[in-house]
Amino acid sequence: MIIAHSKKFILMSPWKTASSTCHASLGQYNESVYPRFFYYNGFLNRVVTQHATLADLTALPEGKLGYKVAAFVRNPYDRAYSGFIQIQRDFQEQPKVEIEPAWITHLLRAQIATNMSRVISAGFNFDAWINLLPDYEVYEPGHNTNMVLHPCHYWTHVNGEQLVGFVGKVEQFEHDFHRFCDYVDIEPPVVQLSNVSEHETEPTTGDTCKYAGRMSRRALDRINELFAKDFELFGYDML
């Protein structure tokens, strides 16, 4: 998350919702003392990353300061496909990283191995993978620190109540990014794209979902089931 004490705002960072682009674009305002990569948080008594949820924020000192809180969300179809690609990228990159204390490195590598084993079992096929993914991997954020597909409303709602004052959408990022800047009363900086894979630059097929056209009916139904609450809360259409 981005914590701007000088401007009194916090921008949450759900997985696969342009969080790296937000960090790159808003870096001048970020005064967070928390690492972006994997670390042990003493307030939460577990390993987290920059993607700590809104419930996590309420347990942190910064969550009690009365700052404006915002988040960007993304349609579940594109988040799911982008997460599938991210898991494979993590398998290539993250095992090279050493984290102190060493047990966090061991945890990270074990989680990467678990995530990648499902991709391999699915034959690197998205449709097979999303149907192999257990519900608990999606719904339980404390189980797997490296799982990229928890529901977006974990960063906007707590116990069914929306606690963030602004929700933007990745599908209209530049427009909503300017709206966000108005909300937190800052001059809109130049947007600096970051962590955008070759898949993210492909054109859409005429709607806001870049990747849904690649998915089988069974995969679409599985995503509809897993992320039903996100569709409802953020107004995304189920296919």
Side-chain angles (χ1 to χ4, degrees), residues 14 18 28 58 72 77 79 88 94 107 125 136 144 157 195 200 204 209 233:
Q28 62 183 306
T58 64
F72 282 86
Y77 305 112
R79 279 192 76 229
Q88 296 172 69
Q94 289 187 6
L107 172 66
N125 177 273
Y136 63 77
N144 185 342
H157 291 64
N195 195 31
E200 303 290 338
T204 64
C209 300
L233 292 172

Side-chain angles (χ1 to χ4, degrees), residues 90-91 94-95 107-117 146:
D90 290 345
F91 181 74
Q94 289 187 6
L107 172 66
L108 176 60
R109 290 175 179 170
Q111 292 174 343
I112 290 170
T114 296
N115 291 346
M116 194 62 191
S117 69
N146 221 334

Side-chain angles (χ1 to χ4, degrees), residues 105-235:
T105 300
H106 300 154
L107 172 66
L108 176 60
R109 290 175 179 170
Q111 292 174 343
I112 290 170
T114 296
N115 291 346
M116 194 62 191
S117 69
R118 291 198 185 96
V119 174
I120 294 170
S121 295
F124 293 84
N125 177 273
F126 173 81
D127 286 6
W129 171 78
I130 195 67
N131 280 285
L132 282 175
L133 194 65
D135 289 15
Y136 63 77
E137 289 279 22
V138 174
Y139 295 135
E140 174 51 63
H143 171 74
N144 185 342
T145 312
N146 221 334
M147 174 45 61
V148 300
L149 279 186
H150 306 307
C152 263
H153 69 267
Y154 285 14
W155 285 267
T156 60
H157 291 64
V158 174
N159 197 28
E161 179 183 0
Q162 180 175 320
L163 299 184
V164 301
F166 173 91
V167 177
K169 291 186 173 182
V170 169
E171 292 77 17
Q172 52 195 40
F173 181 78
E174 292 220 11
H175 174 268
D176 281 3
F177 185 72
H178 279 74
R179 288 180 53 235
F180 160 76
C181 292
D182 287 342
Y183 173 68
V184 298
D185 195 26
I186 62 173
E187 190 69 25
V190 175
V191 173
Q192 301 180 46
L193 296 179
S194 180
N195 195 31
V196 179
S197 74
E198 60 188 73
H199 303 274
E200 303 290 338
T201 62
E202 295 180 5
T204 64
T205 56
D207 55 31
T208 58
C209 300
K210 291 183 179 181
Y211 308 121
R214 303 180 182 186
M215 301 175 187
S216 69
R217 180 70 260 169
R218 184 168 174 242
L220 294 173
D221 289 343
R222 178 61 173 154
I223 293 170
N224 292 345
E225 174 190 22
L226 286 172
F227 301 101
K229 199 67 176 177
D230 279 359
F231 284 105
E232 174 189 343
L233 292 172
F234 305 126

